[in-house]
Amino acid sequence: MTSLKGNLNSVDLANIFQMLAMNPSEGTLSIFDGAIKKSIYFGHDGVSVLTSGEAKHDSLGRVLLRHDRISPEQLQEALRRQRESGTMMLGQVFVELGFVTRQEVEEALQIQIEEEIYNLFIWKDAQFEFQEGPPPAEFREGDAFNKIAFNVNSLIMEAAQRVDEWEWIQSIVPTLTRLYRYSGRNVDLDDPIFQETYAGKVLNASDSQRTVQEIIEVSYVNTFEVCKIVSLLTEGGA
C-alpha cells in the first residue's frame, strides 16, 4: 500500500491534486493543520471530500440559507427533526419536510464541498499524507461521507485564483475580529462590487456595529466572499 507524506510549505497542493487525479489507484489525502483534519478521497469515479470531527466552514444549512432555499425557521425545524431521528442526514430531513428538492440538496452539497477544498489551498504550514486504498470506514458513517465528482483542473484553477485574491484580501482585512464603519462615501451603482453575487447580503448585514466574523454569521455568506466584498468596499473608500 503506497503512502506519501510532506508539508505544504515545500509542496504545491495543486501539483498533489493533479498527480493523484491521474493516479489509477484510489486513495485518501489527509491534510492536518493543528487539530484540524480534512481528507479528500480520490476514487475511480472522481474526487470526494471526507470530513470528520471539525465543523465545516460552510454547513449545508448555511449554503441553503445563502441561496434563499430555506428560512432560518425551517433550518431550526430540520435540525430538531434530525436530532429526534438520531440517524437521518440533514439533507434527507430537508427533502422529507418538503423544504427543498433532492436536486437542490445535491447542488448545495456541491457548493459546500467545493468551499471545503478551496479553503485547503490557503493553508500554509500544514502536513499532508496520502494513503492508497479505499476510504476509512469511519468516513462513511452519517453525514461524514458526501461523494461528489469534480473536474480537478477546473477546481485547481478556481482555487489558484482564490489564493491570489486571498493575499490581497488579507492586506486589507487581516483579521475577522475587525469592525468596519461606513465612511459616508457611497459606492457608485455601476461599481464592479455590485457584480459580486453576495454584495447585497453582505451590505445588508453590515451595520457599523458588527465585526467581519459577525457579518459572516448574519449574512450566511462564506468567509472568502465576505472578506472580498469588505475589501472592495474599503478600497473604494466606503
Side-chain angles (χ1 to χ4, degrees), residues 84-103:
E84 290 175 351
S85 74
T87 58
M88 291 179 67
M89 297 176 69
L90 186 58
Q92 181 183 356
V93 175
F94 282 130
V95 174
E96 290 201 359
L97 289 173
F99 294 160
V100 294
T101 65
R102 187 170 300 278
Q103 180 179 346

Side-chain angles (χ1 to χ4, degrees), residues 12-77:
D12 191 340
L13 184 59
N15 292 336
I16 297 173
F17 263 61
Q18 288 178 324
M19 179 185 69
L20 296 180
M22 293 185 292
N23 190 336
S25 302
E26 63 178 346
T28 302
L29 175 67
S30 297
I31 302 177
F32 309 86
D33 186 6
I36 303 174
K37 175 184 177 181
K38 298 293 179 183
S39 299
I40 302 169
Y41 170 63
F42 290 78
H44 300 301
D45 54 352
V47 179
S48 309
V49 171
L50 308 168
T51 60
S52 179
E54 291 290 329
K56 301 178 179 64
H57 289 274
D58 249 354
S59 67
L60 176 61
R62 280 182 58 87
V63 174
L64 290 169
L65 282 166
R66 183 191 315 155
H67 290 268
D68 300 317
R69 296 291 187 265
I70 61 172
S71 67
E73 293 75 21
Q74 288 175 322
L75 174 58
Q76 292 306 312
E77 170 65 16

